[in-house]
Amino acid sequence: MGKITGFMEFERIEEGYRPIKERVKHHKEFILALTDEQAKVQGARCMDCGIPFCNNGCPVNNIIPDFNDLVYRQDWENAWAVLDSTNNFPEFTGRICPAPCEEACTLNVNDEPVGIKSLEHAIIDRAWENGWVKPRAARIKTGKKVAVVGSGPAGLAAAQQLARAGHEVTLFEKNDRLGGLLRYGIPDFKMEKGHIDRRVEQMKAEGVNFRTGVIIGKLPEGSKVTNLAKESIDPKELQKDFDAVLLAGGAEQSRDLPVPGRNLDGVHFAMEFLPQQNRVNAGDKIKGQISAAGKHVIVIGGGDTGSDCVGTSNRHGAASVTQFELMPEPPEQENKELTWPYWPYKLRTSSSHEEGCEREFAIATKEFIGEKGKVTGLKTVRVEWKDGKMTEVAGSEQTLKADLVLLAMGFVSPVATILEGFGVDKDARGNAKASTDFIGGYATSIPKVFAAGDIRRGQSLVVWAIREGRQAARAVDEFLMGFSDLPR
């Protein structure tokens, strides 16, 4: 514990943002990271609790009190070593994780929590700047071949761990670039894609073989999932050619809103809208790009994906942006006595909301209306919740103008055909059925086929995907070798 009274002396310091008028003119990151002195003060606030709830609140179990103390002492290289021991990609989580660790911080019981996420961000950025992040190729090869399907955070984490264990790893990605929804879902203004690229270069040096533009099996007829695959491989071939297969393809089937007028032009899934902008930012030419410029935009869905649609629409120059949420407006402050150290239900306002957005709560869409095949508005109704049931409020119907509607209501399941291609049993939600047991974890119903990340647990956080990728890597290594030294 660097400074025994630090938590009483210092207030929480937030990372800053560039001015709204400046940042909405581009798609680059705009967070102002902590200075060394600010990071030192933030680290000094850590109480080094007897029971570090932050560690358990973090899905990858980062050793948070240790790196907080090391930052306070300005021992950045050892702080990075501690962080690197539990998290393959802190530059991802340090930018886009909602920080459940901070909600679990003991200081959060009656004060503001330690800015753990901002310290993670500062540590990994300094590590890259100083060249501390280097390839760690295995000294001994096992001769075992592993196929990883999907290059999102779960697939990348698993592939890196398995390569470091000495296995020959080939990672398959259906898109033309690596990263999954990190690449074609998360806006560049939240995480620029160079962070993915330099990790890929590190992993190539560690022996991972990447194959893009390859789909395993076939997509369903009429699938809305982005697919630029130039080659397809039968799942049975992977089972024959590799000693183990890990499915880490994510959960990409968007939840739809089947109301009258759904087929009008101008009503799109968020995951049709967001990936296009990422591709344009990468230099691609998109014919007929979905644009919010000059339009009245309504985003249906109050989560992070909806917020991303808000920020992107503002950067397009939308005339107005409104975000709908079916649930009632949460309280601005949670009841900490009831919720701590768990993730609380409270109102969360993102940087995108601050850039310009009307937020409507407890509202449902009854119908999309349009003219000449194009959406022009929505018919809505107010709803109320009682005993867990939703009822419409009589007389609350109204019509709102909309030139573009973006559906951001979450994801319901992985692409079904990949699971069917392998013959993997599915759970009630359509995900790959596999447990997380210490022995035999992440194994599916098909011999030598494993599953991890959103394809197994359903839509979740990047940090959970990294955790599952790491744990699945250990399970695969143990399956192949009879034991494993990889951390779980």
Side-chain angles (χ1 to χ4, degrees), residues 59-251:
V60 293
N61 302 123
N62 280 335
I63 310 169
I64 294 165
D66 289 28
F67 70 63
N68 283 344
D69 178 61
L70 288 163
V71 169
Y72 169 74
R73 300 177 187 280
Q74 299 288 279
D75 187 351
W76 290 94
E77 188 167 4
N78 277 319
W80 169 77
V82 170
L83 180 57
D84 181 66
S85 69
T86 56
N87 188 349
N88 294 67
F89 313 119
E91 62 270 43
F92 302 166
T93 52
R95 286 168 166 80
I96 60 177
C97 183
C101 56
E102 294 188 11
E103 299 295 350
C105 175
T106 302
L107 194 53
N108 193 41
V109 172
N110 62 350
D111 199 345
E112 292 295 313
V114 175
I116 300 166
K117 178 180 173 181
S118 62
L119 292 180
E120 184 173 341
H121 184 184
I123 292 167
I124 187 58
D125 280 7
R126 180 177 279 262
W128 279 107
E129 289 167 8
N130 286 277
W132 299 331
V133 185
K134 297 176 181 177
R136 297 205 296 271
R139 291 177 294 176
I140 300 173
K141 299 295 184 180
T142 65
K144 302 291 186 179
K145 296 171 63 178
V146 182
V148 178
V149 181
S151 69
L156 290 174
Q160 184 166 61
Q161 294 294 95
L162 288 165
R164 289 175 175 177
H167 305 304
E168 182 182 335
V169 180
T170 302
L171 190 151
F172 297 89
E173 168 58 48
K174 70 177 182 295
N175 283 302
D176 55 343
R177 298 183 181 93
L178 299 160
L181 289 185
L182 287 171
R183 174 77 64 177
Y184 291 131
I186 303 295
D188 287 40
F189 59 79
K190 288 176 69 175
M191 193 189 85
E192 294 177 20
K193 307 317 172 199
H195 302 298
I196 303 172
D197 296 335
R198 62 186 178 186
R199 278 296 181 181
V200 167
E201 291 306 308
Q202 179 198 31
M203 292 172 66
K204 285 180 179 178
E206 292 174 341
V208 178
N209 177 39
F210 293 96
R211 293 184 60 184
T212 56
V214 180
I215 189 166
I216 309 303
K218 296 180 180 179
L219 286 174
E221 194 70 30
S223 173
K224 293 289 187 179
V225 175
T226 301
N227 177 26
L228 297 180
K230 298 177 181 178
E231 177 187 356
S232 64
I233 297 178
D234 191 300
K236 298 296 186 289
E237 286 187 42
L238 287 193
Q239 290 172 270
K240 181 181 68 175
D241 295 341
F242 291 86
D243 299 296
V245 178
L246 174 61
L247 306 180

Side-chain angles (χ1 to χ4, degrees), residues 20-94:
I20 291 174
K21 289 184 178 179
E22 174 187 326
R23 70 189 194 229
V24 295
K25 295 178 180 178
H26 59 76
H27 292 268
K28 297 183 182 297
E29 291 179 14
F30 53 82
I31 287 179
L32 301 174
L34 300 182
T35 65
D36 286 2
E37 186 57 33
Q38 288 174 328
K40 179 177 181 177
V41 169
Q42 197 63 230
R45 297 183 72 235
C46 179
M47 295 188 289
D48 195 19
C49 318
I51 301 175
F53 290 94
C54 57
N55 174 272
N56 293 322
C58 172
V60 293
N61 302 123
N62 280 335
I63 310 169
I64 294 165
D66 289 28
F67 70 63
N68 283 344
D69 178 61
L70 288 163
V71 169
Y72 169 74
R73 300 177 187 280
Q74 299 288 279
D75 187 351
W76 290 94
E77 188 167 4
N78 277 319
W80 169 77
V82 170
L83 180 57
D84 181 66
S85 69
T86 56
N87 188 349
N88 294 67
F89 313 119
E91 62 270 43
F92 302 166
T93 52

Side-chain angles (χ1 to χ4, degrees), residues 191-390:
M191 193 189 85
E192 294 177 20
K193 307 317 172 199
H195 302 298
I196 303 172
D197 296 335
R198 62 186 178 186
R199 278 296 181 181
V200 167
E201 291 306 308
Q202 179 198 31
M203 292 172 66
K204 285 180 179 178
E206 292 174 341
V208 178
N209 177 39
F210 293 96
R211 293 184 60 184
T212 56
V214 180
I215 189 166
I216 309 303
K218 296 180 180 179
L219 286 174
E221 194 70 30
S223 173
K224 293 289 187 179
V225 175
T226 301
N227 177 26
L228 297 180
K230 298 177 181 178
E231 177 187 356
S232 64
I233 297 178
D234 191 300
K236 298 296 186 289
E237 286 187 42
L238 287 193
Q239 290 172 270
K240 181 181 68 175
D241 295 341
F242 291 86
D243 299 296
V245 178
L246 174 61
L247 306 180
E252 296 182 272
Q253 294 288 9
S254 300
R255 181 175 283 106
D256 208 344
L257 185 59
V259 298
R262 170 63 181 86
N263 293 325
L264 288 169
D265 185 24
V267 181
H268 301 276
F269 286 120
M271 294 313 298
E272 295 175 85
F273 175 66
L274 296 173
Q276 286 189 355
Q277 186 58 56
N278 286 350
R279 290 186 179 280
V280 169
N281 294 343
D284 293 353
K285 302 295 183 183
I286 303 294
K287 185 178 180 180
Q289 180 187 359
I290 302 167
S291 175
K295 295 179 180 178
H296 297 281
V297 180
I298 291 182
V299 179
I300 301 179
D304 287 344
T305 302
S307 171
D308 294 344
C309 289
V310 170
T312 302
S313 296
N314 282 326
R315 281 158 180 75
H316 283 191
S320 68
V321 183
T322 304
Q323 186 177 22
F324 284 5
E325 171 55 61
L326 190 64
M327 301 299 291
E329 182 173 354
E332 290 191 12
Q333 180 63 55
E334 76 274 26
N335 186 334
K336 293 185 178 182
E337 291 182 356
L338 291 178
T339 61
W340 181 89
Y342 302 108
W343 185 253
Y345 178 65
K346 66 179 180 180
L347 183 66
R348 300 178 189 275
T349 300
S350 71
S351 59
S352 291
H353 293 139
E354 293 170 350
E355 292 164 1
C357 173
E358 292 293 326
R359 303 172 75 180
E360 297 284 351
F361 294 89
I363 188 169
T365 301
K366 298 285 287 183
E367 181 182 353
F368 300 111
I369 56 177
E371 296 177 3
K372 298 179 180 179
K374 294 186 177 182
V375 70
T376 58
L378 306 180
K379 288 185 178 179
T380 67
V381 65
R382 296 289 170 174
V383 297
E384 59 184 8
W385 294 81
K386 188 174 182 180
D387 299 326
K389 295 181 179 180
M390 183 186 78

